[in-house]
């Protein structure tokens, strides 16, 4: 991939391995353990409600870690922050592996979520600083694709290990190994930030360009950054929360809809797996669309599609209550694939928005606050889905979230052109 950053022309491919490989490894490990966390919590004596709460602690940890991770990355740098995140995840996983009660397991899961926040933000901050606007969406969509690929592969690897060992506890060893390998990769391979910064400085020196000395770059700090960009965070942060919410609700509502239709667990897993593969296949296409035609050409179809998909799912589930049939199941499969297409078209959009909006010289504090809004939506939507389902019905909950998706699309159409410049055609 040919790029221009601060003048010099270079290929991101020259540092692609240290840029993308750590994210893939980290997400494979986490993707393996996420499905077994509630199982292990129940094995340790937790109720179903407590098992669900412990599973949710990974997202709670991510929310807790989002904002301070921006400060940490700004202070110590991307690679050091990622190594520290891998070490923190290791500590959390050791607690999970040795857990003798649900509380110990919950602390380990919470620490894993905090480490995830810092790890993901560090790599996004690197992309924001070094990847030019004309290629930013493709680079970030590829990064998002690495995380999605890891979360897709991880559960299959977990199933294999459980089949070989007969123990769900052994799955934590997968993530332990993954974090160790991540730390080794980060230590052994060249630091991409240092490599690209050196190329930029060499170019400026060769051309006689005026550059700002490193010490002259003013860092505003976490709270000053949030205060200065409060208008952007309030408006674009709300859209990020709605996008994150629709995405996370899709992951929860599809299995629930399958259960409501009376499908077997294996059939539901197969449909969700196929839908996940469709989603994964589109991650780079999303980046191409955003870079060539503009962010809205990816974001709007994604949000409109997710909104319509939730509304269609409400109809399918509602009609099946009156008369469950094979036709209802067929429509469920079609809606699941449609929602995955919509989600895939928007792959990387939140990271791209964050990179577009963040200050180029010191993006980490802003990105921490911005990521918090999106992750808040991720956490809130499943809770809203559960509450509406308990109070009314699953069909009503799906319909309500569909309306929220269409509302989110209207907010995107209003705020994106105002705050995010249209990229140069590549």
């Amino acid at each position: 991939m040919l790029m221009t950053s601060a003048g010099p022309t270079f290929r991101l491919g020259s540092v692609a391995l240290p840029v993308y490989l750590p994210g893939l490894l980290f997400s494979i490990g986490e993707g393996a353990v996420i499905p077994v966390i509630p199982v292990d919590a129940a094995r340790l004596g937790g109720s179903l409600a407590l098992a669900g709460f412990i599973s949710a602690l990974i997202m709670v940890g991510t929310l807790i870690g989002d904002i301070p991770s921006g400060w940490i990355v700004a202070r110590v740098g991307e690679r050091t922050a990622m190594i520290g995140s891998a070490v923190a995840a290791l500590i959390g996983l050791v607690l999970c592996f040795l857990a003798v009660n649900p509380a110990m397991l919950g602390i380990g899961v919470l620490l894993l979520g905090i480490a995830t926040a810092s790890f993901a933000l560090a790599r996004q901050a690197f992309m924001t600083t070094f990847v030019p606007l004309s290629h930013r969406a493709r680079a970030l969509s590829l990064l998002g694709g690495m995380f999605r690929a890891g979360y897709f592969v991880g559960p299959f690897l977990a199933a294999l290990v459980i089949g070989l060992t007969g123990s769900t506890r052994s799955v934590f060893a997968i993530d332990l190994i993954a974090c160790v390998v991540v730390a080794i990769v980060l230590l052994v391979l060249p630091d991409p930030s240092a490599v690209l910064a050196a190329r930029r400085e060499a170019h400026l020196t060769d051309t006689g360009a005026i550059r700002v000395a490193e010490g002259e770059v003013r860092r505003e700090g976490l709270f000053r950054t949030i205060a200065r960009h409060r208008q952007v965070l309030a408006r674009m942060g709300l859209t990020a929360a709605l996008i994150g919410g629709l995405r996370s609700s899709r992951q929860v509502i599809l299995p629930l809809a399958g259960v409501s239709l009376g499908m077997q667990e294996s059939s539901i897993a197969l449909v969700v797996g196929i839908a996940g593969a469709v989603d994964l296949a589109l991650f780079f296409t999303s980046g191409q669309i955003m870079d060539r035609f503009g962010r809205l050409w990816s974001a709007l179809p994604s949000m409109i599609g997710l909104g319509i998909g939730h509304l269609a799912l409400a109809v399918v589930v509602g009609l099946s209550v009156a008369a469950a049939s094979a036709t209802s199941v067929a429509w469920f499969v079609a809606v699941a694939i449609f929602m995955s297409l919509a989600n895939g078209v928007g792959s990387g959009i939140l990271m791209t928005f964050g990179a577009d909006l963040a200050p180029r010289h010191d993006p980490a504090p802003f990105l921490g606050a911005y990521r918090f809004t999106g992750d808040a939506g991720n956490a809130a939507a499943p809770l809203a889905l559960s509450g509406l389902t308990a109070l009314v019905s699953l069909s009503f909950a799906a319909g309500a979230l569909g309306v929220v998706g269409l509302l989110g699309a209207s907010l995107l159409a209003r705020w994106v052109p105002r705050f995010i410049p249209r990229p140069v055609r590549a």
Side-chain angles (χ1 to χ4, degrees), residues 9-100:
T9 300
F10 64 94
R11 292 183 182 276
L12 182 63
S14 62
V15 291
L17 195 61
V19 168
Y20 293 114
L21 181 59
L24 177 62
L25 294 171
F26 193 89
S27 58
I28 287 175
E30 191 168 291
V33 302
I34 286 175
V36 305
I37 289 172
V39 177
D40 205 51
R43 186 188 64 81
L44 291 171
S47 64
L48 286 177
L50 182 59
F53 173 76
I54 291 175
S55 297
L57 284 177
I58 193 165
M59 180 53 67
V60 173
T62 302
L63 281 171
I64 292 172
D66 273 330
I67 292 180
S69 65
W71 180 85
I72 293 170
V73 172
R75 288 292 180 272
V76 304
E78 289 90 357
R79 183 168 73 161
T80 303
M82 291 175 74
I83 294 172
S85 299
V87 173
L90 276 171
I91 296 171
L93 288 165
V94 169
L95 288 174
C96 293
F97 189 79
L98 300 177
V100 295

Side-chain angles (χ1 to χ4, degrees), residues 287-314:
Q288 292 279 1
I289 293 171
M290 284 188 278
D291 276 338
R292 294 187 180 277
F293 304 108
R295 310 317 192 209
L296 278 179
W297 285 89
S298 174
L300 274 182
S302 179
M303 280 298 280
I304 292 172
L306 286 172
I308 293 174
H310 278 80
L311 291 172
L313 200 61

